[in-house]
Amino acid sequence: MSSKTIIKDLPFLIVSFFIPFLLFYFTKSHSLMFDDAAEFALVIKLGSIAHPPGSPSYIMAGMLWNNLTSLFGLNIVDSLTLLAATCISGCSLIMFFIFKIISKKLSVIENTKSLIVSSICAIAFSTASTSWAWGNTIEVYSFQAFAMAITLFGLINYHFNRKKFSIFIAALGIAAGLGNHHLTMILFLPFTPLFFLKNFFGQDVKTETKKKMNKNEQGFLNDIKFIFKNPDFWILTSMTLIFTILFYSWMFLRAQNDYSFMFGKPETLSELFYHVSGGSYSKNISSTSEKVISSRIPYFLKLTALQLFVFIPFYLLGILILIKKKLYPLFWTTILYYLFLFFYQLNNNQWSSTDAYMLLPFLVMTIPVFYGVIYSKNKIKVEYILPIILAIQITYNFHLHDRRSYPVSDSLMNLLDKSAPLNSIVIVSDWSTIIQYYYYRIAENFRPDLIVLNYDFKFTHFKILPTLYPEFYKIIKPEYDQYIKQLTIEHPHQAVNTGCDLTSPALVSSFITLLHKMETIAKSQNKYFLTDPRAHYFYSSNNYYEPKRFVSGCFSSSKAGESKANDNFLKLDFPFLKSDLLYIDPAALDKLVDFQAMLDRYTEYYSSVKDSIRQSQTLLAHAQIIKYQRKMKKSMSFAYQK
């Protein structure tokens, strides 16, 4: 690339990266979000193991990034949030290069216009609804999109220029995706051979044209033969395999150590296979009801419409152009990859992070948008229209994804702090609360006086309790070890991963014995024994403990709690509840159900003690939570189906 070209391209390179980056930076929160943000922050802080499949490429990138940014005084939450912003902004920059390559080879638009169009189409993806949602928070999905962008750049650059180095880039991108959120990359693998076709983009590259080809060399089957006879395809395959194995081997080596938190411990080959293949999460795809599927269809169609938004006309035009130009391999790649993940998500019985699975096909769908723009240049002045359209999209999405109004972990940890008296034993079923507490306790020494356990006690690995609470473990060692022994006999994977199915009398007996031992310790040491609503329901409905309890903030309590904690909870003065992000965040649903269940406990409790004032406050708070849930149901009805 000449210095003249670099100087001419530089403003567009800067704009392509920094417009989305600055938008993400000014809409980020210093707080951790619901779902898995706290887990990834903690795992990267410790260098431990994340939930299946383990995401080793993201964990490695996060650890390296955090070590770099810590030199500038950034804490890990801000550091990893900036990593997400950099990844999605990096997608924008890479897509600019991709569009520049395509427009140069197609020669249908003049150079200056092509730079404008390439830049705006790239920014259009990064500032779209789903992209923005994952560009300013901690999660694996922004990194996965970045891996896909690298993959596309390598494949497309190879297609046009036949550079061996492009094969290396593509292999690294595919392996990074397979070593992170592997399902979304696996579903793209069937399309990677198509980039080795001579006419994938309607252009022959550094070979004879179709007119010079023998008739015997044409046709689908011969195209397939051509691909598999190409040594570069096998170089890509082998390099991808090597890189992927290296990522998971690194995770396997880390799993030989114990950590104060780890989501599983794949220290043997069988445990590694279980972890990489999805672990306990694999059941989500096999237990989905017809009601869930039917309610998810309009949600994902709406999600697609919001992602393309004002660029929908260009997308539809681009699809027509691909058909008109007979670019069928490219057409089917953009359509089928989207449909693969669309139908997979319809059958995936989960709601948190459900939109993020579509981020990669949305990235690929940006290519038809670009085609639609460059082939409409003679009908409209794209260099003037596109900036206006982009500005409309950014303005619309800014408020919807401004996480400064959504300080989730600040609110939840403040609530826990006020609800749990000194030295309490706290049993939590809600994932966001317990994983956020573990992050803040381990990373920032928040409330180290508390013993906070999952409702199954061993959480995501049986060694967490003895590692994190060694003194407490000494007291309950016989009962805890017996429970783990019975769990290992009945469900070997659950002892070293998430889940606890109490399916045998011996296992249930050991579980109850351990629970009673903890309650006895709390009583003898004059400590509060607290349970969150779902843990309380599980224990009381199964007669594992005495259901008559007091209330202490957001917990059921073995002792009468301080009224200040209860008054604090009944105010529902939590900023994230007042944010519009609540109504587009499926992961928040669990917390509102949790609040509703706790308010039901308040109703029961204040009715029994005849406290009419707080009973009235409880009813008002309950009505407010129901109001929030109704609004959530309108935008996420699929999450309410069974």
Side-chain angles (χ1 to χ4, degrees):
M1 186 182 291
S2 68
S3 57
K4 250 186 190 180
T5 303
I6 294 173
I7 292 170
K8 190 173 184 180
D9 289 358
L10 188 59
F12 298 97
L13 298 176
I14 293 172
V15 164
S16 297
F17 180 85
F18 278 103
I19 283 183
F21 183 84
L22 291 174
L23 289 169
F24 300 151
Y25 181 83
F26 287 113
T27 56
K28 71 180 180 67
S29 171
H30 297 292
S31 187
L32 291 163
M33 299 297 111
F34 286 113
D35 211 17
D36 298 327
E39 180 202 339
F40 286 116
L42 183 54
V43 165
I44 289 170
K45 174 79 173 178
L46 297 172
S48 64
I49 310 300
H51 67 264
S55 305
S57 57
Y58 171 69
I59 302 303
M60 179 184 289
M63 291 173 69
L64 293 171
W65 177 268
N66 184 55
N67 288 337
L68 175 64
T69 55
S70 64
L71 298 175
F72 302 95
L74 285 182
N75 65 45
I76 193 166
V77 174
D78 287 338
S79 172
L80 295 180
T81 304
L82 284 181
L83 175 60
T86 302
C87 285
I88 297 294
S89 302
C91 287
S92 179
L93 181 61
I94 293 171
M95 292 307 291
F96 167 78
F97 282 118
I98 289 172
F99 295 146
K100 185 171 177 282
I101 291 169
I102 295 173
S103 63
K104 182 180 179 182
K105 295 298 180 179
L106 294 181
S107 301
V108 296
I109 188 170
E110 63 183 74
N111 190 38
T112 303
K113 280 188 180 180
S114 77
L115 293 174
I116 295 171
V117 169
S118 298
S119 181
I120 292 178
C121 287
I123 298 170
F125 164 77
S126 58
T127 59
S129 181
T130 302
S131 307
W132 201 325
W134 299 105
N136 58 0
T137 188
I138 299 171
E139 251 290 3
V140 300
Y141 304 112
S142 57
F143 182 80
Q144 189 72 354
F146 186 62
M148 174 58 86
I150 291 172
T151 300
L152 288 174
F153 177 77
L155 291 172
I156 291 170
N157 196 49
Y158 172 80
H159 174 80
F160 285 119
N161 300 312
R162 291 295 191 264
K163 297 285 181 68
K164 288 287 194 295
F165 187 69
S166 299
I167 293 292
F168 175 85
I169 293 172
L172 187 59
I174 296 170
L178 293 174
N180 183 35
H181 194 261
H182 57 45
L183 172 78
T184 49
M185 187 60 76
I186 287 172
L187 292 178
F188 183 72
L189 291 182
F191 303 104
T192 55
L194 299 179
F195 288 84
F196 288 81
L197 292 173
K198 296 177 181 179
N199 63 336
F200 186 74
F201 281 95
Q203 294 284 316
D204 293 329
V205 287
K206 296 187 178 179
T207 57
E208 71 269 22
T209 62
K210 275 189 174 181
K211 291 180 180 179
K212 294 181 180 179
M213 292 170 64
N214 296 325
K215 288 184 179 179
N216 293 333
E217 292 178 301
Q218 300 181 40
F220 178 74
L221 290 178
N222 283 293
D223 283 341
I224 298 300
K225 288 180 183 178
F226 173 80
I227 292 168
F228 290 107
K229 284 181 180 179
N230 189 338
D232 289 342
F233 173 76
W234 296 108
I235 292 172
L236 173 69
T237 303
S238 58
M239 289 179 70
T240 299
L241 183 62
I242 291 168
F243 288 146
T244 304
I245 291 173
L246 287 174
F247 283 130
Y248 283 105
S249 297
W250 180 70
M251 183 178 79
F252 183 72
L253 290 174
R254 286 185 293 116
Q256 307 308 309
N257 304 306
D258 291 335
Y259 304 92
S260 50
F261 173 80
M262 47 193 166
F263 203 118
K265 194 172 186 289
E267 58 186 340
T268 67
L269 290 178
S270 63
E271 289 170 356
L272 179 66
F273 177 78
Y274 177 76
H275 203 82
V276 173
S277 61
S280 60
Y281 291 98
S282 59
K283 66 183 179 182
N284 286 341
I285 196 64
S286 60
S287 58
T288 310
S289 70
E290 290 183 8
K291 283 186 178 180
V292 172
I293 293 173
S294 61
S295 64
R296 289 169 76 89
I297 291 174
Y299 172 78
F300 282 104
L301 290 175
K302 178 183 176 182
L303 198 70
T304 306
L306 287 174
Q307 177 72 15
L308 293 170
F309 195 38
V310 286
F311 289 87
I312 288 176
F314 292 110
Y315 172 74
L316 296 176
L317 179 60
I319 289 295
L320 291 175
I321 287 166
L322 295 183
I323 295 172
K324 184 179 179 180
K325 299 287 183 180
K326 298 183 179 180
L327 304 180
Y328 299 124
L330 179 56
F331 167 79
W332 287 117
T333 296
T334 61
I335 295 294
L336 289 180
Y337 184 47
Y338 168 78
L339 291 176
F340 281 0
L341 275 160
F342 183 92
F343 286 111
Y344 173 84
Q345 281 299 83
L346 294 183
N347 288 277
N348 193 354
N349 192 20
Q350 69 174 61
W351 54 76
S352 62
S353 306
T354 196
D355 59 330
Y357 284 62
M358 304 303 297
L359 194 53
L360 270 64
F362 287 161
L363 178 65
V364 177
M365 288 166 68
T366 311
I367 296 175
V369 171
F370 176 72
Y371 267 82
V373 171
I374 61 174
Y375 279 98
S376 61
K377 64 179 176 59
N378 293 328
K379 297 180 181 178
I380 60 172
K381 292 186 178 295
V382 291
E383 66 271 30
Y384 300 117
I385 298 295
L386 288 184
I388 296 172
I389 292 176
L390 181 63
I392 292 171
Q393 174 171 284
I394 290 172
T395 303
Y396 180 82
N397 284 329
F398 190 95
H399 177 67
L400 288 177
H401 300 291
D402 188 354
R403 294 189 186 272
R404 293 173 298 177
S405 67
Y406 203 55
V408 174
S409 65
D410 289 353
S411 298
L412 296 187
M413 291 303 99
N414 181 268
L415 177 59
L416 183 148
D417 186 32
K418 292 182 177 179
S419 301
L422 193 68
N423 298 320
S424 298
I425 298 172
V426 188
I427 309 299
V428 178
S429 176
D430 174 57
W431 164 255
S432 292
T433 298
I434 191 169
I435 194 59
Q436 286 177 6
Y437 170 77
Y438 272 45
Y439 167 78
Y440 284 107
R441 178 194 174 102
I442 295 169
E444 301 185 16
N445 200 36
F446 170 74
R447 289 298 303 269
D449 60 292
L450 300 178
I451 305 292
V452 179
L453 302 172
N454 192 45
Y455 79 105
D456 65 1
F457 308 129
K458 53 85 189 174
F459 200 18
T460 54
H461 195 283
F462 75 89
K463 286 187 179 180
I464 289 177
L465 190 153
T467 302
L468 193 57
Y469 307 108
E471 296 302 318
F472 184 65
Y473 171 65
K474 288 178 184 177
I475 304 173
I476 63 168
K477 186 177 188 304
E479 293 81 6
Y480 184 75
D481 289 353
Q482 178 62 23
Y483 161 60
I484 294 301
K485 178 182 176 182
Q486 292 298 329
L487 182 61
T488 303
I489 293 170
E490 190 71 16
H491 306 289
H493 280 302
Q494 290 183 356
V496 293
N497 212 286
T498 189
C500 178
D501 296 323
L502 301 176
T503 51
S504 74
L507 180 55
V508 172
S509 176
S510 65
F511 182 86
I512 295 173
T513 300
L514 176 58
L515 174 60
H516 289 171
K517 178 63 176 286
M518 291 183 182
E519 280 205 290
T520 301
I521 292 168
K523 187 175 182 180
S524 66
Q525 296 181 357
N526 198 30
K527 294 179 177 179
Y528 286 79
F529 187 85
L530 307 175
T531 50
D532 77 346
R534 273 178 288 185
H536 170 75
Y537 176 79
F538 177 66
Y539 293 160
S540 60
S541 62
N542 288 288
N543 296 315
Y544 292 163
Y545 77 175
E546 171 58 49
K548 293 180 180 178
R549 301 271 152 170
F550 301 94
V551 290
S552 180
C554 61
F555 300 119
S556 297
S557 172
S558 60
K559 298 170 59 180
E562 296 180 11
S563 60
K564 287 182 181 179
N566 299 340
D567 292 342
N568 173 71
F569 176 68
L570 289 176
K571 290 177 184 176
L572 294 181
D573 188 21
F574 312 126
F576 76 90
L577 289 179
K578 300 174 178 64
S579 171
D580 288 340
L581 272 71
L582 182 72
Y583 309 115
I584 57 172
D585 184 0
L589 173 64
D590 280 348
K591 181 47 64 179
L592 264 70
V593 171
D594 197 55
F595 282 172
Q596 180 186 345
M598 194 64 231
L599 289 167
D600 289 338
R601 291 282 300 116
Y602 269 75
T603 300
E604 178 187 331
Y605 174 70
Y606 284 127
S607 176
S608 67
V609 299
K610 303 188 186 312
D611 187 336
S612 58
I613 294 176
R614 288 194 173 90
Q615 180 76 326
S616 297
Q617 292 173 340
T618 299
L619 293 175
L620 287 173
H622 193 277
Q624 187 62 45
I625 290 296
I626 296 300
K627 181 181 177 181
Y628 290 142
Q629 288 185 321
R630 284 174 181 161
K631 290 184 72 174
M632 292 177 78
K633 189 173 183 178
K634 287 181 180 179
S635 58
M636 299 179 292
S637 60
F638 69 94
Y640 289 81
Q641 301 295 330
K642 300 294 183 184

